[in-house]
């Protein structure tokens, strides 16, 4: 249950609600203060926030078995998803290079992070995700398409190791495990990055593959 009412926190919750619900995770945001909402884990704002006391009172009535919170809303979301652990057990990241890079992260089987931007920035962007998600095991898979070298250099500068995965067919034949639900939610580049992540995860070799 999302009880962090800060504007940036609510924007994050709104952007993630649809993606999580298709994966079997309901992110509830109370709209009517008088209507009870129940949740297993409650995300509360940092102490000192205007709605901190209200969030604690609401959480106590909701049956939450855990409270999490953070100054950074994204980190708070990850805490809720891997509760009661200190971090995700495993994160798998796929990177689709091109005129822009797209990247997706699957943490403990859940798609939790998506990014697109300049390939020169992909390394630092992934590093930022990792600092917040704190996975115990990390695998990064980089597609072998255009702008591969720029993305490769960016990952190396960020100190991130990776495995090259053949990119052929990731746009025309994306892997969509829940049966097509991602196709209507993600653009072709993000779907390609997700496909690269799954290919790497299952050891798909395709035409060529190399470890770096």
């Amino acid at each position: 249950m999302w009880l962090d009412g800060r504007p940036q926190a609510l924007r994050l919750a709104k952007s993630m609600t649809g993606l999580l619900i298709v994966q079997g995770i309901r992110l509830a945001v109370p709209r009517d203060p008088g209507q009870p909402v129940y949740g297993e884990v409650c995300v509360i704002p940092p102490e000192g926030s205007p709605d901190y006391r209200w969030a604690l009172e609401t959480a106590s009535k909701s049956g939450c078995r855990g409270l999490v919170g953070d100054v950074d809303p994204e980190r708070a979301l990850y805490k809720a998803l891997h509760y009661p652990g200190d971090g995700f057990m495993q994160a798998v990241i796929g990177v689709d290079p091109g005129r822009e890079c797209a990247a997706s992260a699957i943490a403990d089987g859940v798609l939790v992070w998506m990014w697109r931007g300049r390939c020169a920035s992909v390394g630092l962007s992934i590093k930022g995700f990792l600092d917040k998600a704190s996975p115990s095991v990390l695998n990064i898979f980089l597609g072998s398409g255009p702008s591969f070298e720029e993305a490769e250099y960016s990952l190396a500068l960020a100190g991130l190791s990776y495995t090259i995965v053949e990119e052929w067919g990731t746009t025309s034949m994306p892997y969509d495990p829940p049966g097509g639900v991602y196709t209507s939610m993600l653009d072709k580049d993000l779907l390609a990055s997700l496909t690269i992540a799954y290919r790497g995860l299952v050891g798909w070799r395709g035409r060529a593959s190399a470890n770096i």
Side-chain angles (χ1 to χ4, degrees):
M1 183 162 63
W2 196 269
L3 301 176
D4 189 344
R6 294 174 298 164
Q8 70 272 29
L10 288 175
R11 283 195 295 270
L12 175 66
K14 182 177 180 180
S15 68
M16 292 296 294
T17 297
L19 183 65
L20 291 175
I21 201 166
V22 299
Q23 300 180 86
I25 301 170
R26 182 172 176 241
L27 186 61
V29 181
R31 300 183 181 278
D32 182 356
Q35 182 178 4
V37 178
Y38 301 97
E40 293 185 31
V41 181
C42 287
V43 179
I44 62 174
E47 189 172 358
S49 298
D51 55 351
Y52 177 72
R53 290 187 177 277
W54 167 82
L56 286 180
E57 292 174 1
T58 303
S60 68
K61 300 174 183 177
S62 71
C64 280
R65 61 186 177 90
L67 297 179
V68 298
D70 200 279
V71 173
D72 187 304
E74 189 177 342
R75 185 179 284 112
L77 174 64
Y78 299 149
K79 286 181 179 180
L81 292 175
H82 62 59
Y83 182 87
D86 294 328
F88 292 108
M89 294 179 63
Q90 181 187 36
V92 180
I93 298 175
V95 180
D96 174 43
R99 285 193 301 175
E100 283 190 329
C101 272
S104 301
I106 307 158
D108 293 349
V110 180
L111 177 59
V112 297
W113 179 79
M114 296 168 294
W115 175 89
R116 61 183 307 141
R118 294 175 56 246
C119 287
S121 302
V122 68
L124 285 178
S125 297
I126 291 175
K127 194 80 170 177
F129 163 74
L130 296 174
D131 288 344
K132 298 174 184 179
S134 305
S136 298
V137 178
L138 170 67
N139 296 103
I140 299 176
F141 299 103
L142 173 62
S144 58
S147 297
F148 159 81
E149 295 86 356
E150 186 176 14
E152 179 181 46
Y153 184 61
S154 179
L155 292 171
L157 280 180
L160 299 170
S161 60
Y162 55 92
T163 299
I164 301 170
V165 173
E166 171 58 49
E167 188 181 334
W168 179 84
T170 55
T171 300
S172 59
M173 297 179 293
Y175 179 53
D176 197 353
V181 293
Y182 289 150
T183 305
S184 62
M185 301 182 69
L186 307 180
D187 63 37
K188 62 181 181 62
D189 296 324
L190 287 172
L191 277 172
S193 69
L194 182 62
T195 303
I196 288 167
Y198 274 103
R199 280 186 178 181
L201 189 61
V202 301
W204 193 92
R205 289 294 178 263
R207 294 180 176 179
S209 179
N211 289 318
I212 300 299

